[in-house]
Amino acid sequence: MKRLKDMKAAKVRAGDTLGTRMWKKVVFLVSIGRNAIVVIIGLVTAYLLDDHQPFIITGEVVPGLPAVRLPQFTAVVNGTTLSFGDILEDIGSGVAIIPILSILGTVAIANAFCGGKTLDAKQEMYALGFCNLLGSFVQSMPVTGSFSRTAVNATSGVKTTAGGIITSVLVMLALAFLTSHFKFIPKASLSAVIMCAVLFMVEYEMVAPIWRARRLDQLPLWVTFLACLFWKVEYGILVGVAVDLALLLYSSAIPKINVSTIKKEDGVKAAYVLVEPCTGLFFPSVDYVRAAVNKAGISTAEGSLTVVLDCCHLTGLDFTAVKGIEGLCSDFQKRQQPLILANASPNIKKSLACLDPHIKITSTPEELHSLLRCVSLRNEVTATCDQSAAVSARDGCSHNTQQQLCNGAQQQCSVCNGAQQHCRDLQR
């Protein structure tokens, strides 16, 4: 019956005769009124079999509208008066779960039927809270949105909130004049209506796209489903949230890090090793990133080549992250290996500069290029000095001769001296 209105044969066309249009309208009304039809058929059947009743029926329903009065904070059950604390203890975790499910359901329905318009979830929660607050004065059940009723309204052509007024009037008329007939409604027919309404809400077709998009997302999906199925719905939701949070923390604690070797212009010798964390740096991932950068400095950069840590994804640093970078800089200083923090935003640069005034931080590609050139020339000078010292030691030169050779090597390149000065200016 749900599918009838979606069949091509039930769609009204421009060339249809009046009789055909009327017939298609009847099919449409049968499709959207399926719940009422099933309940009425069950009611009539139970009424005709009154003397030989095979069903468990609803029973007597108190007629009339509920009285308007202050909410009751006590209840009498089997002659025992329960206090407000006893009621809360009996409800248990439902005190928190019911509002959460109510909000989630209402916002999800609004998203599904907003037609691409902007949704203000705060306003939805205000409306929901206002309805529950007023409902407490007429002994109402907890109020939330209904997927099935909203879908029926949408397919029926409802465009405004006046549809809610019509529904309210029908409910009040039913409570005032039809409650005596509710007695014969079989509970099985009500159960069937609920089961069929919920059955079509199961989005089984989403399993395959989730698997193709990110397989790890199947874990919270199936954990939540199985926990709700074999345990309780409220506990299943909490378990699913906990699993999802654990996956989120795991991805934050172990971010993806790309390590690559950048060649010089000749395309043969390595210029530096680039380390690129793909996410921000906060408390959970500090130790992992520090270990990864150190590993890249020792293995890929062989403990001597310059390592550049790309900070373009660092949108902010907490205190633990700052201390972790401080420890990372200390590790490289002990190995006398250059470490440069590149593409740092002004806020990141300000946070890191307070660690050590000599830390190498750049914000633009030009600054990075100048600093790399400075480090390269400095390494060349150091290598020349070491080579001169080795030659002089081999030839039996004195310490003064070695120092003169080293000084001469340092003075060979005026460009080197200018680059070193520029490097110191950048550091300042």
Side-chain angles (χ1 to χ4, degrees), residues 97-114:
I97 297 299
I98 290 175
I100 292 175
L101 292 182
S102 178
I103 293 172
L104 290 177
T106 302
V107 174
I109 293 170
N111 272 316
F113 291 91
C114 67

Side-chain angles (χ1 to χ4, degrees), residues 247-255 279 282-289:
L247 292 178
L248 182 63
L249 288 175
Y250 178 80
S251 60
S252 299
I254 307 181
T279 59
F282 292 99
F283 165 71
S285 59
V286 171
D287 292 336
Y288 180 82
V289 173

Side-chain angles (χ1 to χ4, degrees), residues 101-153:
L101 292 182
S102 178
I103 293 172
L104 290 177
T106 302
V107 174
I109 293 170
N111 272 316
F113 291 91
C114 67
K117 298 179 181 178
T118 302
L119 173 67
D120 188 351
K122 186 189 299 183
Q123 293 299 318
E124 297 294 331
M125 288 188 281
Y126 284 156
L128 193 61
F130 189 69
C131 289
N132 278 286
L133 184 63
L134 293 184
S136 65
F137 289 90
V138 290
Q139 300 84 57
S140 169
M141 296 179 66
V143 176
T144 185
S146 170
F147 276 102
S148 57
R149 187 173 299 150
T150 307
V152 170
N153 285 344

Side-chain angles (χ1 to χ4, degrees), residues 351-404:
S351 299
L352 296 178
C354 66
L355 299 178
D356 185 353
H358 301 293
I359 188 172
K360 300 179 179 65
I361 309 174
T362 64
S363 300
T364 63
E366 291 76 14
E367 291 182 2
L368 177 61
H369 177 73
S370 298
L371 197 54
L372 286 171
R373 184 165 174 266
C374 170
V375 172
S376 176
L377 292 173
R378 182 179 297 175
N379 291 338
E380 291 178 4
V381 169
T382 303
T384 304
C385 182
D386 292 340
Q387 183 180 6
S388 300
V391 171
S392 62
R394 184 191 61 191
D395 297 338
C397 296
S398 63
H399 174 74
N400 291 334
T401 306
Q402 296 177 19
Q403 187 65 36
Q404 291 175 359

Side-chain angles (χ1 to χ4, degrees), residues 294 296-307 332 335-338:
N294 270 318
I298 295 174
S299 59
T300 308
E302 299 179 351
S304 59
L305 196 62
T306 302
V307 175
F332 274 77
R335 293 198 301 267
Q336 296 183 350
Q337 183 178 7

Side-chain angles (χ1 to χ4, degrees), residues 1 78 140 145 174 238 245 273 278 302 312 322 381 395:
M1 295 174 70
N78 297 328
S140 169
L238 292 177
L245 286 176
V273 173
C278 295
E302 299 179 351
C312 64
V322 172
V381 169
D395 297 338

